[in-house]
Amino acid sequence: MSASHTHDTHAAGHDDHGPMKGWRRWFYATNHKDIGSMYLIFSLVMFLTGGAMAMVIRAELLKPGMQFVDPGFFNSMTTMHALIMVFGAVMPAFTGLANWMIPLQVGAPDMALPRMNNLSFWILPFAFSLLLLTLLVPGGSPAGGWTLYPPLVLQTGDAFPMAIFAVHLMGASSIMGAINVIVTIMNMRAPGMTLLKMPLFVWTWLITAYLLIAVMPVLAGAVTMLLTDHYFGTSFFNAAGGGDPVMFQHIFWFFGHPEVYIMILPAFGVVSEIIPTFSRKPLFGYDAMVYATASIAFLSFIVWAHHMFTTGMPLVGEMFFMLSTMLIAIPTGVKVFNWTATMWKGSISFETPMLFSLSFLFLFTIGGFSGLMLAIAPADFQYHDTYFVVAHFHYVLVPGAIFSLMAATYYWLPKWTGHMYNEKLGKLHFWLSTIFVNVLFFPQHFLGLAGMPRRIPDYSTQFADWNFVSSIGGFCFGLTQLLFVYNIVSCVRGGVKASDKVWDDATPHGLEWTVSSPAPYHSFEVPPEVK
């Protein structure tokens, strides 16, 4: 049997005795669609788990005073909520989309390294089991926030090495997934598909994969130094031994800032696929979008210390990090204007994926503007570690990354399952999510500007009213996501059969021509005749 034949049979989910059945199909999966589905299901479970932790946080903050949990457990919840949402929900969900869609979009039979693909997924359930089990260990989970700052995080106790090992496993999984994406895109494109003919989702993931390989080892190094400080008597971050706790912040944010773009670049790719489809026009300025994505990725490496203006740095350092941060607004603005130009004079219809993409466009931009405010060093002295920062990054990550994942799910579900989801339920989910995400996070801007610090379980009565509003928004947003789960499950189990031209049949326009990211070399001011 030739090597290529062996690869094909295993990639198709077969062993030497025919197709694998039951649990074996999933446990030994090498098929990119099966692995993509497992990533997506896992990320949905983690999204609900992290969301439940957010509900604990918002319940405690519903009114002043200590209501439900003690301060130590509250701090554990903020840490766990962040780690689970970042590494367990958003990143695996985008990896699931990459597994499903990249081979289809570049014309490859499968991902380049199917067995490594299997391993990169199966590491994750063990990593997150380890992380969640820290809640049961005496002394509780790490309480240093997702940033794991020393010396606070070093007071954790027995759960500390479990959490560090879990972070290492997540990093290993991410690096393997990234290698797979790069090799697939570079080596397995269909004949004639040059790099500048690839769909934008593929481009954004290619750039994201390079970011992952560059920064995950940095996080691994930082947490390993924490471990040796804790157990082996080193003093990397211990001032008493000649170390520097601020050095940890530099190392962490050199990972942490590109990490933020790892979570948003694939979202840009998703929106760049959806907006042209529902505008019935090719994407405006395809080449500019590719170069803007690459520019954002490059700039993400030189802005890390804008998280650290209050730690004390030379004025020239403040100026450099302030100006380089503002520079990121330029390629991001190119993207926003290109998406808007794509819709200009388009024949637009408002199905659920398009609604989520439009919401992404407006609300992500709010997150971008508050980011510009935080980039101004003297202003950041006032906002730093207040709820204004919490509002800023949640506007980037919830209506940004999470909404784009929801848009992608609705957009590709008919392709994945062969069935149409319930459009009315999808629109209800969209409107409730959009309203309540603003009720949840917008008041946090006011709390932050009034001076409420983040990561505290109790607060002064002057902050009570907006916290009450924010918590109500949080509970309603959380409950709304059950509609999303119900819609997905009912679609997977059956429903109206999807046609081969699903989004044209679903719209009144009846246009039978379809578009992909790269624009053809002619004007679409006038729609072409359908042959």
Side-chain angles (χ1 to χ4, degrees):
M1 185 183 285
S2 71
S4 62
H5 181 64
T6 310
H7 175 278
D8 291 345
T9 54
H10 281 293
H14 292 247
D15 58 18
D16 293 333
H17 307 290
M20 286 192 270
K21 296 280 198 299
W23 64 271
R24 286 171 174 274
R25 172 185 167 184
W26 302 102
F27 198 73
Y28 295 111
T30 47
N31 181 307
H32 72 101
K33 297 177 181 179
D34 286 350
I35 294 171
S37 299
M38 290 196 295
Y39 265 113
L40 291 165
I41 293 163
F42 175 81
S43 67
L44 185 60
V45 171
M46 286 293 110
F47 175 59
L48 298 174
T49 307
M53 292 174 176
M55 296 300 100
V56 173
I57 294 167
R58 284 318 319 170
E60 185 53 63
L61 294 172
L62 190 65
K63 59 184 191 197
M66 299 301 298
Q67 272 82 240
F68 303 106
V69 296
D70 63 86
F73 186 75
F74 181 89
N75 288 340
S76 291
M77 283 292 98
T78 57
T79 305
M80 297 289 278
H81 163 71
L83 288 172
I84 283 170
M85 286 304 205
V86 170
F87 295 108
V90 175
M91 288 169 69
F94 280 126
T95 311
L97 291 182
N99 265 293
W100 248 105
M101 300 312 300
I102 286 174
L104 301 182
Q105 291 190 329
V106 301
D110 203 299
M111 294 297 277
L113 307 160
R115 290 184 187 281
M116 190 168 84
N117 208 6
N118 175 287
L119 180 61
S120 69
F121 171 75
W122 280 110
I123 285 174
L124 287 178
F126 294 98
F128 284 92
S129 300
L130 204 58
L131 187 65
L132 287 165
L133 284 170
T134 60
L135 291 167
L136 307 178
V137 175
S141 296
W146 87 286
T147 53
L148 306 170
Y149 279 179
L152 181 62
V153 79
L154 297 175
Q155 299 164 8
T156 300
D158 295 341
F160 184 68
M162 291 171 66
I164 297 298
F165 188 48
V167 169
H168 272 299
L169 289 173
M170 298 166 204
S173 169
S174 294
I175 289 169
M176 284 195 282
I179 290 169
N180 218 341
V181 166
I182 291 170
V183 178
T184 304
I185 295 171
M186 300 310 275
N187 289 358
M188 298 181 70
R189 299 193 305 280
M193 179 174 278
T194 59
L195 286 174
L196 284 174
K197 285 183 180 169
M198 299 194 306
L200 252 179
F201 178 71
V202 179
W203 254 116
T204 53
W205 241 113
L206 179 64
I207 291 165
T208 301
Y210 279 109
L211 284 182
L212 274 167
I213 290 172
V215 302
M216 294 313 290
V218 177
L219 176 66
V223 297
T224 304
M225 287 192 275
L226 278 179
L227 203 66
T228 59
D229 272 12
H230 199 33
Y231 290 104
F232 297 99
T234 56
S235 294
F236 291 112
F237 310 126
N238 179 6
D244 182 4
V246 175
M247 182 173 78
F248 177 86
Q249 296 191 28
H250 279 289
I251 300 169
F252 179 87
W253 285 116
F254 189 79
F255 146 80
H257 199 81
E259 166 63 30
V260 176
Y261 290 95
I262 287 164
M263 290 190 282
I264 206 67
L265 290 183
F268 291 166
V270 165
V271 171
S272 301
E273 299 297 316
I274 293 174
I275 287 179
T277 299
F278 295 96
S279 304
R280 271 123 197 118
K281 277 177 63 190
L283 186 72
F284 181 90
Y286 168 85
D287 289 24
M289 292 294 254
V290 172
Y291 298 131
T293 309
S295 307
I296 290 169
F298 169 74
L299 290 170
S300 74
F301 279 101
I302 59 168
V303 299
W304 77 89
H306 67 209
H307 298 268
M308 299 169 53
F309 284 140
T310 58
T311 58
M313 67 174 78
L315 190 62
V316 65
E318 280 178 26
M319 289 296 290
F320 172 81
F321 287 109
M322 178 169 86
L323 296 172
S324 59
T325 303
M326 291 179 174
L327 211 54
I328 288 192
I330 296 169
T332 310
V334 167
K335 287 187 159 300
V336 171
F337 286 120
N338 279 17
W339 288 323
T340 309
T342 303
M343 292 184 283
W344 179 252
K345 291 189 176 178
S347 178
I348 301 177
S349 58
F350 297 101
E351 284 79 31
T352 311
M354 183 63 162
L355 290 173
F356 272 107
S357 297
L358 290 174
S359 187
F360 167 96
L361 208 57
F362 282 100
L363 300 182
F364 174 78
T365 304
I366 291 176
F369 281 135
S370 59
L372 274 175
M373 293 171 68
L374 290 164
I376 302 166
D380 186 72
F381 293 157
Q382 308 301 319
Y383 308 141
H384 186 76
D385 270 342
T386 69
Y387 259 81
F388 190 86
V389 179
V390 178
H392 155 68
F393 70 72
H394 279 92
Y395 261 93
V396 171
L397 288 177
V398 182
I402 303 262
F403 272 26
S404 78
L405 284 165
M406 290 171 177
T409 304
Y410 284 118
Y411 183 55
W412 282 316
L413 256 179
K415 186 170 194 64
W416 296 339
T417 64
H419 302 289
M420 246 341 250
Y421 62 87
N422 184 326
E423 182 66 44
K424 279 188 178 159
L425 205 58
K427 284 184 173 163
L428 180 64
H429 171 229
F430 162 75
W431 283 111
L432 291 175
S433 292
T434 298
I435 291 164
F436 289 126
V437 84
N438 285 292
V439 175
L440 166 56
F441 293 122
F442 207 81
Q444 294 179 7
H445 291 106
F446 308 145
L447 289 167
L449 293 174
M452 179 175 166
R454 62 195 279 202
R455 292 185 188 162
I456 54 161
D458 190 11
Y459 53 87
S460 172
T461 51
Q462 75 218 42
F463 305 126
D465 291 349
W466 285 124
N467 264 302
F468 183 80
V469 172
S470 185
S471 287
I472 296 301
F475 300 139
C476 294
F477 181 76
L479 287 170
T480 300
Q481 303 322 307
L482 298 177
L483 290 175
F484 183 50
V485 177
Y486 174 78
N487 209 352
I488 293 170
V489 171
S490 54
C491 176
V492 170
R493 292 181 64 179
V496 181
K497 220 166 160 43
S499 72
D500 58 348
K501 291 197 176 68
V502 57
W503 294 119
D504 287 328
D505 292 351
T507 62
H509 301 279
L511 295 173
E512 290 192 12
W513 51 287
T514 54
V515 293
S516 58
S517 298
Y521 296 107
H522 48 71
S523 166
F524 269 81
E525 283 292 318
V526 181
E529 289 179 27
V530 179
K531 293 283 183 346

